[in-house]
Amino acid sequence: MELAYYSDYAVRLVNSEEPARNKDSLTSVEAVRELFGPGSTAARRATDADVTRFRSVRARLRAVFEAADGGDETLAVDLLNSLLLEFPVSPQISGHGHRDDGGTSLLERSRELGGNRPLWHMHLADHPSNATAGYAAIASMGLAFHLTEHGVERLGICEATPCRNAYLDTSTNRSRRYCSDRCATRANVAAYRARKREEADRSHSTGRTADSAQSTARNGERCPSERGLNRPTTRARTSSSGTVP
């Protein structure tokens, strides 16, 4: 198993909360256990006390993603290093039969290569005193491997308002901006509608300007004659001594 695989633990924990929507799914020990995934023996250590501890680690991991998304590489690394120091792990070589991305177990692949030897790979072993320490250790280490392997800019926060989910950019051209296809579609639709409204407003404004110009032109043509027609006429009276006003 690639060590960067564990970075998904960090994303999973951070996205258990949606701050802009005031939603938080991390409210029980069952929710804590679900974060570990099915069949995890580490999840059995979780207790009610881990709910608060998990939330604390979640806030610190979110800060890493936000710093990276904001372009502050040094801050992102410093925050992640503090987690690594507080929650250490022990890498070890393992040969148990997990499945690879193609659906074939590692032991089956080993047999295909010849013999019944295990297919050795690196594994993050943790020896924590509680479930939070174990989860934080592997999440932080996985995120660290992802960061150093692919770059800080590969850690992002979804741009589809109001979503603020974290994501790991694995695209070939480093172009990912949203946490999911759903958010990408929603953002594109919103942008399209905004453009249409702007075009409609611009067209309406242009129409009003044209109407105003035409009205002014018509008024300008009328005014001189109207002023001539409405000007009062003064008739002079004449007398034997001259003109009297």
Side-chain angles (χ1 to χ4, degrees), residues 3-174:
L3 296 181
Y5 157 82
Y6 292 104
S7 60
D8 186 57
Y9 279 65
V11 175
R12 202 182 306 164
L13 176 55
V14 171
N15 292 346
S16 65
E17 179 187 30
E18 298 180 69
R21 295 188 175 103
N22 293 318
K23 292 183 178 180
D24 189 349
S25 63
L26 193 55
T27 57
S28 66
V29 66
E30 288 75 18
V32 169
R33 289 169 180 159
E34 286 177 4
L35 287 171
F36 283 91
S40 172
T41 56
R44 299 172 189 169
R45 294 195 298 265
T47 66
D48 290 331
D50 284 298
V51 175
T52 301
R53 289 194 288 253
F54 260 68
R55 286 178 173 177
S56 175
V57 172
R58 179 179 64 188
R60 295 171 67 182
L61 285 170
R62 175 173 284 279
V64 174
F65 279 93
E66 290 179 342
D69 187 68
D72 195 335
E73 294 188 22
T74 302
L75 177 59
V77 170
D78 287 345
L79 292 171
L80 189 50
N81 273 335
S82 68
L83 284 164
L84 292 170
L85 289 171
E86 186 173 344
F87 303 106
V89 294
S90 302
Q92 67 181 28
I93 300 173
S94 176
H96 54 75
H98 285 301
R99 292 191 172 275
D100 63 14
D101 292 337
T104 304
S105 73
L106 297 179
L107 291 178
E108 289 171 355
R109 285 176 56 197
S110 177
R111 294 189 184 97
E112 290 173 0
L113 295 174
N116 294 321
R117 295 177 295 113
L119 189 58
W120 302 112
H121 61 281
M122 292 298 296
H123 179 77
L124 295 182
D126 59 273
H127 308 285
S129 57
N130 56 68
T132 302
Y135 194 100
I138 57 179
S140 300
M141 183 61 75
L143 195 58
F145 274 107
H146 196 283
L147 184 151
T148 54
E149 175 109 6
H150 303 291
V152 179
E153 66 276 8
R154 294 287 191 153
L155 280 61
I157 296 292
C158 186
E159 294 184 11
T161 305
C163 181
R164 296 292 294 165
N165 278 354
Y167 66 82
L168 297 171
D169 184 2
T170 56
S171 63
T172 55
N173 57 354
R174 300 171 181 260

Side-chain angles (χ1 to χ4, degrees), residues 178 185-198:
Y178 307 104
T185 299
R186 184 162 53 83
N188 289 334
V189 170
Y192 172 79
R193 289 175 177 171
R195 286 196 302 271
K196 287 299 182 182
R197 284 195 300 270
E198 184 178 348

Side-chain angles (χ1 to χ4, degrees), residues 164-234:
R164 296 292 294 165
N165 278 354
Y167 66 82
L168 297 171
D169 184 2
T170 56
S171 63
T172 55
N173 57 354
R174 300 171 181 260
S175 61
R176 185 170 179 178
R177 298 165 55 201
Y178 307 104
C179 67
S180 64
D181 290 339
R182 180 182 178 183
C183 275
T185 299
R186 184 162 53 83
N188 289 334
V189 170
Y192 172 79
R193 289 175 177 171
R195 286 196 302 271
K196 287 299 182 182
R197 284 195 300 270
E198 184 178 348
E199 291 172 3
D201 291 343
R202 190 183 305 117
S203 176
H204 186 57
S205 177
T206 302
R208 286 201 309 269
T209 302
D211 291 344
S212 177
Q214 291 175 4
S215 177
T216 301
R218 286 195 298 269
N219 291 336
E221 292 172 358
R222 259 195 327 267
C223 282
S225 60
E226 288 175 353
R227 286 195 296 269
L229 291 173
N230 297 331
R231 184 183 300 117
T233 302
T234 303

